[in-house]
C-alpha cells in the first residue's frame, strides 16, 4: 500500500513561515516514501478545517514552488474545481508544472463544491448538472491540448479556436478524478481517469465499486487499469492496529494508495509526516 500526503492547513499568524513550512513538509514526505504530495485547490480555507479568513495559498503557484524543492514526488491538486480556471488555461498550467517538475504533475479534477468562495471572489457557480458537463469538456480539452491536434474545440460550454500548448508535458499527466457519484462521476472515471480518488467510508464502498465496474463493462474498459486511492484521515497513532486493519480493508477492495495528512491545527506538519514515515509507512508496505 502506497501513501500520499495531503496538506490543507496553512496555520494562521505570520505569513513568513508559510512557504518554508510547506516546503519542509513536502521534502519530508518525499524522504518518507510518499507517492504524491497534494494540496486542496481552494482560494479560501474550507470551513471544516478552519475559518474562511485563515491563510490559504493558491495551489498551482505553490506547486511550482514545490517543483523546485523536491526531486521525485508527484505533485497535484486533490482536486482542482472545474469552475476555477478556463480549460485551456488549466491545460497550460498543468503542462507547465509538468515541464518544471521534470514529468511529475498530475491532473486532479472534480466538479467543484465550495459555493462560498465562488460567491466571495465572483466566480460563476453553475448548477451541478452544468458543472458535470463542464468537467467532461475540460477532460476532452486537456487531452486534445496535450496531443498533436492543435485545432479547434467546439463544446456546449467551451469553444477554443486553437488548442496550442507548447511546450507540451514531458509525459501526459495522469488524470485523477475525485468523487463517488454512481451515475456521472464514476462513468467519467471509467471513461477518462487513470486514478479514482474517493473519500467514501470503507463500509460504503462496495456499491461504488459495483457501479465503476458496470460503467467499465459498458465502455469496454478493464477496471484494473484504473488505480484506486482513498482519503483516510483518521489519526494513525491513536490506535495503530485498528488503523492498519482499516487499510487492509481498502487493500482487499483493490485500493493501493491512501491519502493521509496532519490534522488541522498541527503546528508541526513536517514532524507529523516524519513520524508517519517512521512508524506507519513500513507497515503499509506489507499490506496489499
Amino acid at each position: 500500500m502506497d501513501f500520499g500526503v495531503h496538506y490543507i492547513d496553512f496555520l494562521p499568524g505570520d505569513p513568513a513561515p508559510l512557504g518554508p513550512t510547506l516546503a519542509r513538509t513536502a521534502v519530508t514526505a518525499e524522504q518518507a516514501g510518499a507517492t504524491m504530495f497534494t494540496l486542496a485547490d481552494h482560494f479560501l480555507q474550507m470551513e471544516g478545517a478552519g475559518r474562511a479568513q485563515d491563510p490559504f495559498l493558491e495551489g498551482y503557484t505553490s506547486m511550482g514552488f514545490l517543483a523546485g524543492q523536491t526531486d521525485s514526488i508527484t505533485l497535484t491538486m486533490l482536486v482542482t474545481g472545474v469552475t476555477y480556471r478556463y480549460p485551456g488555461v488549466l491545460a497550460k498550467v498543468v503542462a507547465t508544472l509538468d515541464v518544471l517538475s521534470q514529468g511529475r504533475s498530475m491532473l486532479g479534477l472534480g466538479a467543484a463544491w465550495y459555493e462560498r468562495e465562488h460567491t466571495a471572489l465572483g466566480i460563476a457557480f453553475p448548477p451541478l448538472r452544468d458543472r458535470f458537463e463542464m468537467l467532461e469538456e475540460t477532460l476532452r480539452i486537456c487531452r486534445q491540448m496535450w496531443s498533436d491536434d492543435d485545432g479547434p474545440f467546439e463544446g456546449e460550454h467551451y469553444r477554443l479556436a486553437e488548442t496550442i500548448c507548447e511546450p507540451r508535458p514531458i509525459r501526459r499527466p495522469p488524470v485523477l478524478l475525485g468523487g463517488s457519484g454512481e451515475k456521472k462521476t464514476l462513468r467519467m472515471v471509467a471513461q477518462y481517469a487513470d486514478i479514482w480518488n474517493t473519500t467514501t467510508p470503507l463500509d460504503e464502498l462496495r456499491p461504488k465499486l459495483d457501479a465503476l465496474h458496470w460503467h467499465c463493462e459498458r465502455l469496454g474498459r478493464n477496471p484494473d487499469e484504473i488505480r484506486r486511492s482513498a482519503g483516510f484521515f483518521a489519526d494513525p497513532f491513536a490506535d495503530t492496529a485498528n488503523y492498519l486493519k482499516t487499510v487492509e480493508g481498502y487493500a482487499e477492495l483493490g485500493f493501493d494508495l491512501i491519502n493521509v495528512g496532519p490534522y488541522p491545527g498541527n503546528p508541526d506538519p513536517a514532524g507529523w509526516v516524519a513520524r508517519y514515515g517512521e512508524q506507519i509507512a513500513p507497515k503499509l508496505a506489507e499490506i496489499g
Side-chain angles (χ1 to χ4, degrees), residues 58-177:
E58 194 280 320
Y60 283 104
T61 310
S62 301
M63 284 301 182
F65 168 67
L66 293 177
Q69 305 287 326
T70 56
D71 298 309
S72 59
I73 198 167
T74 296
L75 303 170
T76 188
M77 296 294 118
L78 193 66
V79 290
T80 283
V82 71
T83 51
Y84 295 148
R85 299 165 188 83
Y86 284 111
V89 174
L90 177 62
K92 182 69 176 180
V93 168
V94 175
T96 298
L97 177 60
D98 195 76
V99 170
L100 295 179
S101 66
Q102 292 295 291
R104 294 188 283 128
S105 76
M106 184 184 293
L107 174 63
L109 202 59
W113 61 271
Y114 194 4
E115 186 172 4
R116 178 176 178 176
E117 67 185 352
H118 288 76
T119 303
L121 300 182
I123 302 169
F125 190 67
L128 183 59
R129 177 177 178 177
D130 291 346
R131 300 201 309 273
F132 272 114
E133 292 173 355
M134 294 161 63
L135 176 61
E136 185 153 15
E137 288 189 18
T138 296
L139 290 165
R140 292 168 54 202
I141 290 166
C142 288
R143 176 183 288 182
Q144 182 169 328
M145 289 189 66
W146 297 335
S147 75
D148 293 330
D149 181 1
D150 61 4
F153 176 90
E154 291 287 334
E156 183 68 26
H157 297 273
Y158 303 112
R159 293 169 179 81
L160 286 70
E162 298 178 276
T163 50
I164 298 170
C165 184
E166 293 293 343
R168 275 185 260 168
I170 291 176
R171 51 119 204 206
R172 181 186 69 80
V175 172
L176 179 152
L177 288 182

Side-chain angles (χ1 to χ4, degrees), residues 132 135 177-193 195-198 200 204-219 221 226 228 255:
F132 272 114
L135 176 61
L177 288 182
S180 301
E182 295 177 17
K183 293 181 179 180
K184 294 183 179 180
T185 301
L186 291 177
R187 193 270 302 167
M188 279 190 270
V189 170
Q191 187 165 352
Y192 298 102
I195 303 173
W196 169 44
N197 183 77
T198 181
T200 300
E204 299 175 17
L205 270 175
R206 178 58 68 182
K208 309 299 181 183
L209 288 167
D210 290 343
L212 177 60
H213 279 251
W214 185 86
H215 287 299
C216 284
E217 182 178 358
R218 179 171 160 269
L219 293 166
R221 186 174 185 192
I226 303 167
R228 301 171 190 176
F255 287 79

